[in-house]
Amino acid sequence: MHQASRSISTSQAGPHEDLNRRVSRSLSHVWRKPIAEHTREAFQQAERWRETQGSRGLILDACCGVGMSTRKLAERFPEHCVIGVDRSADRLSRDHGALPDNALLVRADLVDFWRLAIAAEWQPERHYLLYPNPYPKSVQLKMRWQGHPVFPAIVGLGGRLEVRSNWRIYIEEFAIAIAQATGISAPLGPFDPDDDPLTHFERKYHDSGQPLWHLVVDLDYRPGLMPQSTEG
């Protein structure tokens, strides 16, 4: 029997009132955070691995946790190569089952990895954000990906972006941010994983009877959404 999972506790009744301002800022201000060296090295490793995959299309599995979703996506899309990225060495070291040859797990800081991917002109065909930390307190908006300075890089990579969460407001905010950045309406609605959840969180939330939400949207490749410094 799976342990029951707690629902999101938040004071927000709807999308954050400061979301539009934060998205506008991320689209107009150069973010000068230095790239962490360990992430630069991890990205170079991923680049070399991609070269061994020939002409396979790329799938990015962001915040992949223990790698269960990366393995399952690689099995579902054997004609693609799948790169799962997570910042936790502990999570990535756990038993996630044997990885197919078309899957790679990478330990890296996603905020840097996404920016390196934009700079390297990566164009994933599919891009997954499965149950990211919702940071549900109102003061934590800037820590949610839709309110984070790296948001333009997430959207700018293009491809079919799918975001899933057990908090509807998170998905609503993400859709609003996408529309503001691109003018594209991202359909959102309830989601049922049936008998094949992609992540442990998805299984836990579903077994606890929590409603799940997602958005799926096809985005153009727009690297110019991420403001770049003109220095040097």
Side-chain angles (χ1 to χ4, degrees):
M1 179 179 294
H2 296 286
Q3 184 178 1
S5 178
R6 289 182 297 177
S7 300
I8 296 291
S9 177
T10 180
S11 62
Q12 277 190 231
H16 202 290
E17 61 183 11
D18 201 33
L19 178 62
N20 292 127
R21 186 190 68 81
R22 288 210 62 87
V23 173
S24 292
R25 180 173 177 81
S26 70
L27 292 168
S28 60
H29 286 70
V30 175
W31 192 34
R32 302 186 185 278
K33 175 186 177 295
I35 302 288
E37 189 58 33
H38 77 85
T39 295
R40 194 180 297 278
E41 292 173 0
F43 184 82
Q44 291 169 353
Q45 171 200 355
E47 283 262 57
R48 291 191 294 269
W49 179 80
R50 274 195 71 198
E51 292 175 0
T52 70
Q53 296 295 305
S55 60
R56 282 174 166 166
L58 173 64
I59 295 176
L60 273 183
D61 182 19
C63 311
C64 70
V66 299
M68 173 180 170
S69 51
T70 305
R71 173 173 55 80
K72 288 198 168 192
L73 288 169
E75 293 168 349
R76 290 185 187 182
F77 300 99
E79 72 282 8
H80 290 72
C81 61
V82 185
I83 297 178
V85 184
D86 200 272
R87 67 182 179 183
S88 170
D90 176 64
R91 285 192 290 266
L92 290 173
S93 68
R94 297 178 196 174
D95 182 15
H96 42 68
L99 282 176
D101 291 340
N102 63 323
L104 176 72
L105 294 178
V106 178
R107 179 185 172 244
D109 185 339
L110 265 166
V111 301
D112 294 343
F113 197 92
W114 275 319
R115 290 188 291 160
L116 290 168
I118 280 282
E121 300 182 350
W122 281 22
Q123 297 181 49
E125 293 184 13
R126 292 175 179 266
H127 191 175
Y128 290 85
L129 264 172
L130 304 176
Y131 306 94
N133 190 329
Y135 293 108
K137 295 181 180 178
S138 183
V139 296
Q140 294 177 319
L141 172 63
K142 64 184 179 181
M143 301 172 74
R144 303 171 200 161
W145 291 130
Q146 59 270 28
H148 196 283
V150 81
F151 179 75
I154 300 172
V155 179
L157 285 167
R160 172 161 290 190
L161 176 65
E162 180 163 1
V163 187
R164 299 182 190 175
S165 177
N166 63 326
W167 188 28
R168 181 184 175 108
I169 289 175
Y170 193 98
I171 300 298
E172 290 176 344
E173 287 183 351
F174 218 104
I176 291 169
I178 287 174
Q180 183 176 345
T182 69
I184 296 174
S185 175
L188 58 94
F191 174 75
D192 186 347
D194 297 319
D195 296 322
D196 192 20
L198 275 178
T199 80
H200 293 292
F201 283 114
E202 187 162 86
R203 175 184 291 135
K204 182 170 64 172
Y205 298 148
H206 182 61
D207 289 349
S208 296
Q210 293 190 35
L212 305 178
W213 307 91
H214 76 153
L215 66 78
V216 182
V217 60
D218 292 313
L219 298 171
D220 298 326
Y221 174 60
R222 304 188 189 194
L225 284 179
M226 188 75 191
Q228 301 294 324
S229 174
T230 57
E231 297 176 1

